[in-house]
Amino acid sequence: DACAKTMQDKLSATTTPRAFNEKYRQFCGFGTGALFVDQSPLPGLDGRYSLLSRSLPIASYCIAEDATGMVDTMYRELDLSPRQAIQHFGAEGVHQTVRDQNQHSHFRHIPAPYVHCVYPRSDRDPYREDQSNMAYASCYVDITHKHLCSEGGYRWFPYMVSRWEKLRTWSPWGFGPGHIALPEVLTLNNIEVDVLKALQIYVRPPYWSDDPEAVGRVSLLPGRVNTIAKGARLEPMRGPGDFNVSHLAQEERRQRIRQAFYMDQLITLPAIEQTGKMTAYEVAQRVAYMSRLMGPAFMGLLSEFLNPFIDNVFATMLENDELPRPPDEVTEAATLGYGKITVDYQGPLARAQRSDTLEAIEGTLDAMHRYVTTSQDTTIYDVMDLDEAMRSIGKVRGVPAKVLRDEKEVAARRQQREAAAQEAQQTQTMIEGAKALGPASQMVKALQPAPQGAA
């Protein structure tokens, strides 16, 4: 929880939320989305390092995959002004012309093309971890002056490239809902253009006018006057078009576009005019259906985007001593190579992917409760570990870990409660014994002989 809160605060203070929004739009529209995350060349507000997250426009990069189908090569074009280039690479890293341009206010903010190349380094020494022996090579090149601005490396791939789905094994590019909706979008745009033209003619139609000496070509431009050979009239020219037909065609295309982007399935709540006509169970079922529908795309995001992103941010913050010290058990397990730290997502869509487990546990508990109510036999509860069942339900529902007590604390509280109950029982037994001995003590006292000399 401490690591998650620290990472969340760090990301909220950067451009990450905006970059995520842009990346998701391209992921759904074009079927391919890419995001770059690295330490910012400029410090943050606190004077320490800052994270830089940037979504890449779809036409600004080229990618390549490894043998497993994961993207491990990125060539990206970016525009930097002389001022930005010096901030990024330092004055000694840029070309002399760029340094000269930065001295003039007229050229200081004019962008120029650069290329960032990141690819696996096959000739590195695995026993060294300097800039020239990282797992991935990183090069920035000034295209205009053919100048190498910087050459370094990354321990991990800094670009997260996710695909909605892939139709060809030899192509690294994805295929998304935007490709399916593109024909309908283009058709709708053409209809909109025709409707706007017809609307302009309908509002300001061309006219027929009587002018026997002026004969020319017929013009259909709005407000244009066309002359005819005879007749004493000035009347508008009405076309045979029907706006209702065009509206029906437009609505049909819009509906198909919504279906391509799963809008009819994603709208889980009823419309305003239907408020109160859907039960909570029906809403829950629609949410579950939506989650199952988006499950494949979500799992693709986990493997190609979210997990690498969280791993990169976690490693960067751990190297900069911004995360709490790991427990000794975690450090020892990592040293011995036992497993790895995994990310447990708590968003609504992530929890919905585990809804089957929740339904199974709650259904079993409900069946056990009905059995106990009917037979008055509570031994059936021994079949299930109720503590673990409640922990699993809380985990699936997204209950924070700090809210749930660990097993040792629960055992200690139960022992205290049991000891208190035993102490109370002993006290009650002593009180009842004292009450029972009360009349007997009076009788014994009355039978005892009186002391000599007593009156």
PDB file of all heavy atoms in Angstrom, residues 15 26 30 32 56 107-109 115-116 119 131 150 168 170 193 197 218 258 334 340 343 355-356 372 395 411:
ATOM      1  N   THR A  15       2.866  14.324 -16.315  1.00  0.00           N
ATOM      2  CA  THR A  15       1.966  14.339 -17.467  1.00  0.00           C
ATOM      3  C   THR A  15       1.365  12.972 -17.742  1.00  0.00           C
ATOM      4  O   THR A  15       0.759  12.777 -18.796  1.00  0.00           O
ATOM      5  CB  THR A  15       2.740  14.803 -18.709  1.00  0.00           C
ATOM      6  OG1 THR A  15       3.860  13.921 -18.938  1.00  0.00           O
ATOM      7  CG2 THR A  15       3.262  16.217 -18.525  1.00  0.00           C
ATOM      8  N   GLN A  26      -5.755   6.441 -29.078  1.00  0.00           N
ATOM      9  CA  GLN A  26      -5.109   5.873 -30.244  1.00  0.00           C
ATOM     10  C   GLN A  26      -5.198   4.353 -30.234  1.00  0.00           C
ATOM     11  O   GLN A  26      -5.312   3.716 -31.283  1.00  0.00           O
ATOM     12  CB  GLN A  26      -3.646   6.318 -30.290  1.00  0.00           C
ATOM     13  CG  GLN A  26      -3.487   7.825 -30.397  1.00  0.00           C
ATOM     14  CD  GLN A  26      -2.143   8.224 -30.948  1.00  0.00           C
ATOM     15  OE1 GLN A  26      -1.554   7.522 -31.756  1.00  0.00           O
ATOM     16  NE2 GLN A  26      -1.653   9.356 -30.511  1.00  0.00           N
ATOM     17  N   PHE A  30      -6.891   3.368 -33.628  1.00  0.00           N
ATOM     18  CA  PHE A  30      -5.990   2.829 -34.635  1.00  0.00           C
ATOM     19  C   PHE A  30      -5.538   1.403 -34.344  1.00  0.00           C
ATOM     20  O   PHE A  30      -4.799   0.819 -35.136  1.00  0.00           O
ATOM     21  CB  PHE A  30      -4.763   3.727 -34.778  1.00  0.00           C
ATOM     22  CG  PHE A  30      -5.096   5.141 -35.150  1.00  0.00           C
ATOM     23  CD1 PHE A  30      -5.048   6.151 -34.207  1.00  0.00           C
ATOM     24  CD2 PHE A  30      -5.484   5.465 -36.439  1.00  0.00           C
ATOM     25  CE1 PHE A  30      -5.355   7.460 -34.536  1.00  0.00           C
ATOM     26  CE2 PHE A  30      -5.803   6.764 -36.780  1.00  0.00           C
ATOM     27  CZ  PHE A  30      -5.740   7.763 -35.824  1.00  0.00           C
ATOM     28  N   THR A  32      -3.359   0.487 -32.302  1.00  0.00           N
ATOM     29  CA  THR A  32      -1.983   0.498 -31.800  1.00  0.00           C
ATOM     30  C   THR A  32      -1.769   1.762 -30.994  1.00  0.00           C
ATOM     31  O   THR A  32      -2.110   2.858 -31.457  1.00  0.00           O
ATOM     32  CB  THR A  32      -0.963   0.447 -32.951  1.00  0.00           C
ATOM     33  OG1 THR A  32      -1.204  -0.711 -33.758  1.00  0.00           O
ATOM     34  CG2 THR A  32       0.460   0.380 -32.411  1.00  0.00           C
ATOM     35  N   LEU A  56       2.687   8.720 -28.060  1.00  0.00           N
ATOM     36  CA  LEU A  56       3.280   8.938 -29.377  1.00  0.00           C
ATOM     37  C   LEU A  56       2.203   8.963 -30.447  1.00  0.00           C
ATOM     38  O   LEU A  56       1.363   8.058 -30.494  1.00  0.00           O
ATOM     39  CB  LEU A  56       4.285   7.828 -29.695  1.00  0.00           C
ATOM     40  CG  LEU A  56       5.342   7.531 -28.637  1.00  0.00           C
ATOM     41  CD1 LEU A  56       6.291   6.471 -29.149  1.00  0.00           C
ATOM     42  CD2 LEU A  56       6.081   8.787 -28.239  1.00  0.00           C
ATOM     43  N   PHE A 107      15.137  32.162 -33.652  1.00  0.00           N
ATOM     44  CA  PHE A 107      15.322  30.744 -33.965  1.00  0.00           C
ATOM     45  C   PHE A 107      15.205  29.847 -32.731  1.00  0.00           C
ATOM     46  O   PHE A 107      15.211  28.629 -32.855  1.00  0.00           O
ATOM     47  CB  PHE A 107      16.708  30.514 -34.595  1.00  0.00           C
ATOM     48  CG  PHE A 107      16.935  31.278 -35.861  1.00  0.00           C
ATOM     49  CD1 PHE A 107      17.684  32.442 -35.856  1.00  0.00           C
ATOM     50  CD2 PHE A 107      16.387  30.854 -37.063  1.00  0.00           C
ATOM     51  CE1 PHE A 107      17.899  33.161 -37.022  1.00  0.00           C
ATOM     52  CE2 PHE A 107      16.589  31.563 -38.231  1.00  0.00           C
ATOM     53  CZ  PHE A 107      17.339  32.723 -38.213  1.00  0.00           C
ATOM     54  N   ARG A 108      15.124  30.434 -31.562  1.00  0.00           N
ATOM     55  CA  ARG A 108      15.205  29.649 -30.337  1.00  0.00           C
ATOM     56  C   ARG A 108      14.055  28.652 -30.209  1.00  0.00           C
ATOM     57  O   ARG A 108      14.237  27.546 -29.670  1.00  0.00           O
ATOM     58  CB  ARG A 108      15.220  30.584 -29.134  1.00  0.00           C
ATOM     59  CG  ARG A 108      15.361  29.887 -27.786  1.00  0.00           C
ATOM     60  CD  ARG A 108      15.443  30.907 -26.683  1.00  0.00           C
ATOM     61  NE  ARG A 108      16.598  31.799 -26.905  1.00  0.00           N
ATOM     62  CZ  ARG A 108      16.790  32.925 -26.222  1.00  0.00           C
ATOM     63  NH1 ARG A 108      15.901  33.321 -25.321  1.00  0.00           N
ATOM     64  NH2 ARG A 108      17.853  33.669 -26.461  1.00  0.00           N
ATOM     65  N   HIS A 109      12.884  29.012 -30.716  1.00  0.00           N
ATOM     66  CA  HIS A 109      11.697  28.172 -30.512  1.00  0.00           C
ATOM     67  C   HIS A 109      11.215  27.512 -31.809  1.00  0.00           C
ATOM     68  O   HIS A 109      10.091  27.007 -31.850  1.00  0.00           O
ATOM     69  CB  HIS A 109      10.568  29.011 -29.913  1.00  0.00           C
ATOM     70  CG  HIS A 109      10.917  29.646 -28.598  1.00  0.00           C
ATOM     71  ND1 HIS A 109      11.011  28.936 -27.428  1.00  0.00           N
ATOM     72  CD2 HIS A 109      11.208  30.934 -28.276  1.00  0.00           C
ATOM     73  CE1 HIS A 109      11.334  29.750 -26.436  1.00  0.00           C
ATOM     74  NE2 HIS A 109      11.463  30.977 -26.923  1.00  0.00           N
ATOM     75  N   VAL A 115      15.522  11.998 -34.123  1.00  0.00           N
ATOM     76  CA  VAL A 115      15.106  10.599 -34.090  1.00  0.00           C
ATOM     77  C   VAL A 115      15.668   9.947 -32.832  1.00  0.00           C
ATOM     78  O   VAL A 115      16.857  10.120 -32.514  1.00  0.00           O
ATOM     79  CB  VAL A 115      15.582   9.830 -35.344  1.00  0.00           C
ATOM     80  CG1 VAL A 115      15.346   8.330 -35.170  1.00  0.00           C
ATOM     81  CG2 VAL A 115      14.847  10.328 -36.574  1.00  0.00           C
ATOM     82  N   HIS A 116      14.791   9.228 -32.134  1.00  0.00           N
ATOM     83  CA  HIS A 116      15.216   8.438 -30.974  1.00  0.00           C
ATOM     84  C   HIS A 116      15.145   6.972 -31.348  1.00  0.00           C
ATOM     85  O   HIS A 116      14.081   6.472 -31.732  1.00  0.00           O
ATOM     86  CB  HIS A 116      14.318   8.715 -29.764  1.00  0.00           C
ATOM     87  CG  HIS A 116      14.795   8.032 -28.517  1.00  0.00           C
ATOM     88  ND1 HIS A 116      13.943   7.730 -27.463  1.00  0.00           N
ATOM     89  CD2 HIS A 116      16.024   7.578 -28.153  1.00  0.00           C
ATOM     90  CE1 HIS A 116      14.633   7.143 -26.517  1.00  0.00           C
ATOM     91  NE2 HIS A 116      15.898   7.037 -26.901  1.00  0.00           N
ATOM     92  N   TYR A 119      16.849  -0.093 -29.290  1.00  0.00           N
ATOM     93  CA  TYR A 119      16.863  -1.447 -29.850  1.00  0.00           C
ATOM     94  C   TYR A 119      17.711  -2.340 -28.950  1.00  0.00           C
ATOM     95  O   TYR A 119      18.568  -1.848 -28.193  1.00  0.00           O
ATOM     96  CB  TYR A 119      17.429  -1.433 -31.271  1.00  0.00           C
ATOM     97  CG  TYR A 119      18.739  -0.702 -31.424  1.00  0.00           C
ATOM     98  CD1 TYR A 119      19.956  -1.353 -31.244  1.00  0.00           C
ATOM     99  CD2 TYR A 119      18.753   0.666 -31.709  1.00  0.00           C
ATOM    100  CE1 TYR A 119      21.150  -0.679 -31.370  1.00  0.00           C
ATOM    101  CE2 TYR A 119      19.953   1.355 -31.841  1.00  0.00           C
ATOM    102  CZ  TYR A 119      21.140   0.674 -31.669  1.00  0.00           C
ATOM    103  OH  TYR A 119      22.330   1.353 -31.788  1.00  0.00           O
ATOM    104  N   GLN A 131      26.721   2.657 -19.501  1.00  0.00           N
ATOM    105  CA  GLN A 131      25.812   3.140 -20.537  1.00  0.00           C
ATOM    106  C   GLN A 131      25.976   2.386 -21.856  1.00  0.00           C
ATOM    107  O   GLN A 131      25.029   2.279 -22.625  1.00  0.00           O
ATOM    108  CB  GLN A 131      26.044   4.635 -20.756  1.00  0.00           C
ATOM    109  CG  GLN A 131      25.561   5.510 -19.619  1.00  0.00           C
ATOM    110  CD  GLN A 131      24.050   5.458 -19.465  1.00  0.00           C
ATOM    111  OE1 GLN A 131      23.312   5.334 -20.431  1.00  0.00           O
ATOM    112  NE2 GLN A 131      23.580   5.538 -18.227  1.00  0.00           N
ATOM    113  N   SER A 150      23.279  12.027 -28.342  1.00  0.00           N
ATOM    114  CA  SER A 150      23.591  11.234 -27.148  1.00  0.00           C
ATOM    115  C   SER A 150      23.491   9.764 -27.494  1.00  0.00           C
ATOM    116  O   SER A 150      22.736   9.365 -28.395  1.00  0.00           O
ATOM    117  CB  SER A 150      22.636  11.565 -25.988  1.00  0.00           C
ATOM    118  OG  SER A 150      21.332  11.119 -26.278  1.00  0.00           O
ATOM    119  N   ARG A 168      -2.124 -10.115 -38.707  1.00  0.00           N
ATOM    120  CA  ARG A 168      -1.036 -10.731 -39.456  1.00  0.00           C
ATOM    121  C   ARG A 168       0.135 -10.970 -38.509  1.00  0.00           C
ATOM    122  O   ARG A 168       0.512 -10.097 -37.735  1.00  0.00           O
ATOM    123  CB  ARG A 168      -0.586  -9.826 -40.615  1.00  0.00           C
ATOM    124  CG  ARG A 168      -1.672  -9.535 -41.634  1.00  0.00           C
ATOM    125  CD  ARG A 168      -1.154  -8.589 -42.706  1.00  0.00           C
ATOM    126  NE  ARG A 168      -2.152  -8.318 -43.731  1.00  0.00           N
ATOM    127  CZ  ARG A 168      -3.048  -7.343 -43.670  1.00  0.00           C
ATOM    128  NH1 ARG A 168      -3.063  -6.557 -42.617  1.00  0.00           N
ATOM    129  NH2 ARG A 168      -3.918  -7.160 -44.627  1.00  0.00           N
ATOM    130  N   TRP A 170       3.240 -11.358 -39.365  1.00  0.00           N
ATOM    131  CA  TRP A 170       4.464 -10.704 -39.802  1.00  0.00           C
ATOM    132  C   TRP A 170       4.422  -9.190 -39.608  1.00  0.00           C
ATOM    133  O   TRP A 170       5.438  -8.522 -39.772  1.00  0.00           O
ATOM    134  CB  TRP A 170       4.725 -11.005 -41.282  1.00  0.00           C
ATOM    135  CG  TRP A 170       3.560 -10.739 -42.181  1.00  0.00           C
ATOM    136  CD1 TRP A 170       2.619 -11.626 -42.599  1.00  0.00           C
ATOM    137  CD2 TRP A 170       3.192  -9.480 -42.764  1.00  0.00           C
ATOM    138  NE1 TRP A 170       1.692 -11.033 -43.410  1.00  0.00           N
ATOM    139  CE2 TRP A 170       2.014  -9.708 -43.535  1.00  0.00           C
ATOM    140  CE3 TRP A 170       3.718  -8.195 -42.737  1.00  0.00           C
ATOM    141  CZ2 TRP A 170       1.377  -8.684 -44.246  1.00  0.00           C
ATOM    142  CZ3 TRP A 170       3.084  -7.196 -43.437  1.00  0.00           C
ATOM    143  CH2 TRP A 170       1.947  -7.440 -44.193  1.00  0.00           C
ATOM    144  N   VAL A 193     -21.527  16.534 -45.807  1.00  0.00           N
ATOM    145  CA  VAL A 193     -21.184  17.559 -46.789  1.00  0.00           C
ATOM    146  C   VAL A 193     -22.367  17.826 -47.722  1.00  0.00           C
ATOM    147  O   VAL A 193     -22.728  18.985 -47.997  1.00  0.00           O
ATOM    148  CB  VAL A 193     -19.940  17.130 -47.593  1.00  0.00           C
ATOM    149  CG1 VAL A 193     -19.701  18.089 -48.758  1.00  0.00           C
ATOM    150  CG2 VAL A 193     -18.718  17.093 -46.684  1.00  0.00           C
ATOM    151  N   LYS A 197     -24.623  21.339 -48.087  1.00  0.00           N
ATOM    152  CA  LYS A 197     -24.834  22.008 -49.371  1.00  0.00           C
ATOM    153  C   LYS A 197     -26.321  22.171 -49.661  1.00  0.00           C
ATOM    154  O   LYS A 197     -26.781  23.236 -50.091  1.00  0.00           O
ATOM    155  CB  LYS A 197     -24.166  21.210 -50.490  1.00  0.00           C
ATOM    156  CG  LYS A 197     -22.647  21.224 -50.449  1.00  0.00           C
ATOM    157  CD  LYS A 197     -22.080  20.407 -51.601  1.00  0.00           C
ATOM    158  CE  LYS A 197     -20.553  20.425 -51.594  1.00  0.00           C
ATOM    159  NZ  LYS A 197     -19.991  19.604 -52.699  1.00  0.00           N
ATOM    160  N   VAL A 218     -27.479  27.848 -66.306  1.00  0.00           N
ATOM    161  CA  VAL A 218     -28.219  27.747 -65.049  1.00  0.00           C
ATOM    162  C   VAL A 218     -27.222  27.525 -63.907  1.00  0.00           C
ATOM    163  O   VAL A 218     -26.348  26.663 -63.979  1.00  0.00           O
ATOM    164  CB  VAL A 218     -29.238  26.592 -65.114  1.00  0.00           C
ATOM    165  CG1 VAL A 218     -29.932  26.434 -63.763  1.00  0.00           C
ATOM    166  CG2 VAL A 218     -30.244  26.842 -66.215  1.00  0.00           C
ATOM    167  N   ARG A 258     -21.245   3.507 -33.374  1.00  0.00           N
ATOM    168  CA  ARG A 258     -21.342   3.206 -31.937  1.00  0.00           C
ATOM    169  C   ARG A 258     -21.155   1.721 -31.684  1.00  0.00           C
ATOM    170  O   ARG A 258     -20.484   1.320 -30.716  1.00  0.00           O
ATOM    171  CB  ARG A 258     -22.700   3.666 -31.406  1.00  0.00           C
ATOM    172  CG  ARG A 258     -22.935   5.176 -31.471  1.00  0.00           C
ATOM    173  CD  ARG A 258     -24.185   5.545 -30.714  1.00  0.00           C
ATOM    174  NE  ARG A 258     -24.587   6.921 -30.964  1.00  0.00           N
ATOM    175  CZ  ARG A 258     -25.562   7.274 -31.798  1.00  0.00           C
ATOM    176  NH1 ARG A 258     -26.253   6.337 -32.451  1.00  0.00           N
ATOM    177  NH2 ARG A 258     -25.859   8.539 -31.982  1.00  0.00           N
ATOM    178  N   ALA A 334      14.037 -12.365  -3.228  1.00  0.00           N
ATOM    179  CA  ALA A 334      14.533 -11.866  -4.511  1.00  0.00           C
ATOM    180  C   ALA A 334      15.978 -12.280  -4.747  1.00  0.00           C
ATOM    181  O   ALA A 334      16.378 -12.594  -5.877  1.00  0.00           O
ATOM    182  CB  ALA A 334      14.405 -10.343  -4.553  1.00  0.00           C
ATOM    183  N   LYS A 340       8.572 -13.411  -8.152  1.00  0.00           N
ATOM    184  CA  LYS A 340       8.741 -12.010  -8.504  1.00  0.00           C
ATOM    185  C   LYS A 340       7.584 -11.211  -7.948  1.00  0.00           C
ATOM    186  O   LYS A 340       6.516 -11.761  -7.615  1.00  0.00           O
ATOM    187  CB  LYS A 340       8.802 -11.829 -10.017  1.00  0.00           C
ATOM    188  CG  LYS A 340       7.585 -12.348 -10.754  1.00  0.00           C
ATOM    189  CD  LYS A 340       7.697 -12.141 -12.249  1.00  0.00           C
ATOM    190  CE  LYS A 340       7.734 -10.690 -12.634  1.00  0.00           C
ATOM    191  NZ  LYS A 340       7.686 -10.484 -14.076  1.00  0.00           N
ATOM    192  N   VAL A 343       1.819  -7.182  -9.923  1.00  0.00           N
ATOM    193  CA  VAL A 343       0.919  -6.051  -9.736  1.00  0.00           C
ATOM    194  C   VAL A 343      -0.502  -6.578  -9.612  1.00  0.00           C
ATOM    195  O   VAL A 343      -0.945  -7.390 -10.436  1.00  0.00           O
ATOM    196  CB  VAL A 343       1.025  -5.063 -10.911  1.00  0.00           C
ATOM    197  CG1 VAL A 343       0.109  -3.862 -10.686  1.00  0.00           C
ATOM    198  CG2 VAL A 343       2.463  -4.606 -11.088  1.00  0.00           C
ATOM    199  N   SER A 355     -14.617 -11.616 -11.165  1.00  0.00           N
ATOM    200  CA  SER A 355     -15.980 -11.722 -10.637  1.00  0.00           C
ATOM    201  C   SER A 355     -16.448 -13.166 -10.545  1.00  0.00           C
ATOM    202  O   SER A 355     -17.290 -13.490  -9.703  1.00  0.00           O
ATOM    203  CB  SER A 355     -16.948 -10.913 -11.509  1.00  0.00           C
ATOM    204  OG  SER A 355     -16.945 -11.405 -12.841  1.00  0.00           O
ATOM    205  N   ASP A 356     -15.926 -14.058 -11.390  1.00  0.00           N
ATOM    206  CA  ASP A 356     -16.328 -15.459 -11.311  1.00  0.00           C
ATOM    207  C   ASP A 356     -15.947 -16.055  -9.965  1.00  0.00           C
ATOM    208  O   ASP A 356     -16.724 -16.833  -9.369  1.00  0.00           O
ATOM    209  CB  ASP A 356     -15.683 -16.258 -12.444  1.00  0.00           C
ATOM    210  CG  ASP A 356     -16.211 -15.845 -13.820  1.00  0.00           C
ATOM    211  OD1 ASP A 356     -17.299 -15.244 -13.862  1.00  0.00           O
ATOM    212  OD2 ASP A 356     -15.541 -16.126 -14.830  1.00  0.00           O
ATOM    213  N   VAL A 372     -27.827 -24.637   6.754  1.00  0.00           N
ATOM    214  CA  VAL A 372     -27.830 -24.503   8.212  1.00  0.00           C
ATOM    215  C   VAL A 372     -29.187 -24.032   8.704  1.00  0.00           C
ATOM    216  O   VAL A 372     -29.699 -24.499   9.734  1.00  0.00           O
ATOM    217  CB  VAL A 372     -26.706 -23.541   8.648  1.00  0.00           C
ATOM    218  CG1 VAL A 372     -26.816 -23.234  10.137  1.00  0.00           C
ATOM    219  CG2 VAL A 372     -25.349 -24.131   8.332  1.00  0.00           C
ATOM    220  N   LYS A 395     -10.501  -9.040  -1.269  1.00  0.00           N
ATOM    221  CA  LYS A 395      -9.484  -8.768  -2.289  1.00  0.00           C
ATOM    222  C   LYS A 395     -10.122  -8.528  -3.640  1.00  0.00           C
ATOM    223  O   LYS A 395      -9.739  -7.608  -4.371  1.00  0.00           O
ATOM    224  CB  LYS A 395      -8.508  -9.944  -2.357  1.00  0.00           C
ATOM    225  CG  LYS A 395      -7.385  -9.748  -3.351  1.00  0.00           C
ATOM    226  CD  LYS A 395      -6.437 -10.926  -3.332  1.00  0.00           C
ATOM    227  CE  LYS A 395      -5.308 -10.728  -4.350  1.00  0.00           C
ATOM    228  NZ  LYS A 395      -4.364 -11.877  -4.346  1.00  0.00           N
ATOM    229  N   ALA A 411      -5.443 -13.859  15.016  1.00  0.00           N
ATOM    230  CA  ALA A 411      -5.280 -14.915  16.018  1.00  0.00           C
ATOM    231  C   ALA A 411      -5.082 -14.326  17.407  1.00  0.00           C
ATOM    232  O   ALA A 411      -5.639 -14.833  18.399  1.00  0.00           O
ATOM    233  CB  ALA A 411      -4.105 -15.815  15.639  1.00  0.00           C
TER     234      ALA A 411
END
